[in-house]
Amino acid sequence: MPIKVQNDLPARSILESENIFVMDEDRALSQDIRPLQILILNLMPIKEDTETQLLRALSNTPLQVDCSFLMLSTHVSKNTSASHINKFYLTFDEIRRQKWDGMIITGAPVELMEYEEVTYWEELKKIMEWSKTHVHSTLHICWGAQAALYYHYGIPKYKRDKKLSGIYRHKVLHHKVPLVRGMDDYVMAPHSRNTEVHKEDILKHPELKLLIESDEAGIFLVMKEDGSQIFLQGHPEYDRMTLNNEYHRDLKKGLNPELPCNYYEDNDPFNRPILSWRNVSNTLYANWLNYYVYQTTDYILEPDQE
């Protein structure tokens, strides 16, 4: 799929080196096509890495996608330069009157805090409420999924006894649901988190459908029946080296992290990690864009009136 990005976004050169078709703003304007408008609220600390991962994940259908990045006014990123944020990111006030085909809300490294203790919780609540009327389908990732399940449905998160890190085997439960169409009976996918939501809490809500789960890692994919809200308690967008970088970072900090499960060849942390989840990532994001955004969104996105 041609991904439309700003001409000098750093992720562009990385994606082009992987033979992913990235369309610049000038060429996109010359095509008589209405691209899908996707808004990405990037809460991850190293924003350039997450930008590249998500743009790569969105690049596997014939659809043209125009991605915009959203920042929070109540939070200052410590790991990404202010110049990058100011150049490539929009504020909520700049976009709140617009309608969007799709939105992605990422995870964030705040999972051990209570939601109400997170400094930007009030602003995030406002954005999640706004998404119900201004976004056709919203995909929430990891802590973003837990936060949305809590805000929209009152579903709590629970602290795990130890961090879940690695690549885990999951069972696909409903193959007829378009979001998991084309997936095998079992799929591998990454997790990296200290908290979780529980299956019994999901099942208390008949409007929510559990689509993929793991005996070891628990809930992976849940959606609202109409597809307007999707909750992903894992990281299929992760690069091959993401868990490796997290592991060695924590090792240097003296945190004594456990080796990520099912990740390194021969369980040697100095071997190249095995990439075993790219297919499920491509399938999931392509199905979301096709069946829950492109096929059902309005052709004309009318902005709110002043």
Side-chain angles (χ1 to χ4, degrees):
M1 156 182 27
I3 292 284
K4 177 177 174 284
V5 298
Q6 289 167 269
N7 293 342
D8 45 359
L9 184 75
R12 177 181 173 178
S13 60
I14 298 172
L15 296 172
E16 287 179 332
S17 72
E18 299 174 7
N19 291 322
I20 291 174
F21 182 15
V22 180
M23 180 178 293
D24 63 31
E25 297 166 299
D26 297 332
R27 181 171 179 184
L29 289 172
S30 70
Q31 293 194 330
D32 188 19
I33 295 173
R34 207 282 265 172
L36 296 177
Q37 299 294 327
I38 305 297
L39 183 66
I40 300 175
L41 175 56
N42 186 358
L43 303 175
M44 294 293 278
I46 305 177
K47 300 198 183 302
E48 294 97 324
D49 289 352
T50 304
E51 291 160 10
T52 303
Q53 291 167 9
L54 289 175
L55 291 173
R56 182 188 294 113
L58 294 170
S59 68
N60 290 284
T61 78
L63 305 169
Q64 187 184 126
V65 177
D66 186 353
C67 294
S68 300
F69 292 96
L70 179 64
M71 65 178 179
L72 295 171
S73 299
T74 51
H75 177 71
V76 177
S77 177
K78 299 177 181 178
N79 298 283
T80 301
S81 70
S83 61
H84 182 90
I85 298 292
N86 293 333
K87 186 172 185 178
F88 297 112
Y89 280 70
L90 301 167
T91 66
F92 181 61
D93 280 343
E94 290 177 294
I95 59 90
R96 63 186 177 85
R97 291 188 178 88
Q98 299 177 40
K99 300 290 178 65
W100 299 82
D101 299 305
M103 181 177 184
I104 296 174
I105 299 177
T106 74
V110 293
E111 56 183 331
L112 293 178
M113 301 172 65
E114 297 297 330
Y115 295 115
E116 292 78 8
E117 295 174 350
V118 176
T119 56
Y120 50 79
W121 178 243
E122 291 301 319
E123 185 177 8
L124 181 58
K125 286 198 305 180
K126 183 164 67 173
I127 292 171
M128 290 190 293
E129 184 64 28
W130 167 89
S131 73
K132 295 193 294 186
T133 54
H134 288 73
V135 181
H136 189 67
S137 180
T138 303
L139 175 65
H140 312 78
I141 301 173
C142 201
W143 181 84
Q146 295 176 356
L149 287 167
Y150 176 71
Y151 173 71
H152 293 298
Y153 302 99
I155 294 174
K157 63 180 169 68
Y158 302 88
K159 185 178 178 180
R160 294 178 53 86
D161 293 334
K162 61 180 181 179
K163 183 177 181 179
L164 185 75
S165 176
I167 314 303
Y168 297 90
R169 185 173 183 255
H170 303 74
K171 185 176 183 179
V172 179
L173 303 177
H174 300 284
H175 282 92
K176 291 185 178 180
V177 175
L179 189 58
V180 296
R181 187 169 293 170
M183 292 187 186
D184 294 328
D185 291 341
Y186 289 89
V187 297
M188 304 297 288
H191 289 264
S192 178
R193 51 187 167 82
N194 291 285
T195 57
E196 62 187 2
V197 296
H198 289 171
K199 180 177 180 177
E200 56 266 28
D201 293 328
I202 298 292
L203 297 180
K204 292 175 184 176
H205 296 268
E207 68 272 37
L208 297 178
K209 195 173 189 69
L210 174 58
L211 297 178
I212 302 178
E213 66 176 342
S214 165
D215 290 340
E216 295 175 282
I219 300 296
F220 180 66
L221 181 63
V222 175
M223 65 174 279
K224 189 178 179 183
E225 285 278 6
D226 64 1
S228 62
Q229 295 174 337
I230 294 167
F231 310 94
L232 186 57
Q233 201 185 215
H235 285 286
E237 80 285 354
Y238 267 11
D239 292 336
R240 180 194 298 269
M241 302 303 290
T242 305
L243 288 176
N244 173 78
N245 295 340
E246 291 181 358
Y247 172 75
H248 286 283
R249 176 202 64 198
D250 291 347
L251 207 59
K252 289 179 181 178
K253 289 181 178 180
L255 299 178
N256 195 29
E258 291 194 10
L259 204 65
C261 294
N262 307 314
Y263 183 53
Y264 293 109
E265 189 82 51
D266 300 323
N267 278 331
D268 183 341
F270 294 96
N271 280 342
R272 182 174 169 83
I274 300 168
L275 183 61
S276 59
W277 63 92
R278 181 60 56 80
N279 183 62
V280 70
S281 178
N282 291 345
T283 302
L284 176 62
Y285 280 93
N287 284 348
W288 174 60
L289 283 176
N290 184 26
Y291 297 115
Y292 297 92
V293 182
Y294 173 70
Q295 297 287 351
T296 56
T297 192
D298 293 331
Y299 183 76
I300 298 176
L301 299 175
E302 294 284 359
D304 292 343
Q305 298 302 311
E306 293 285 350

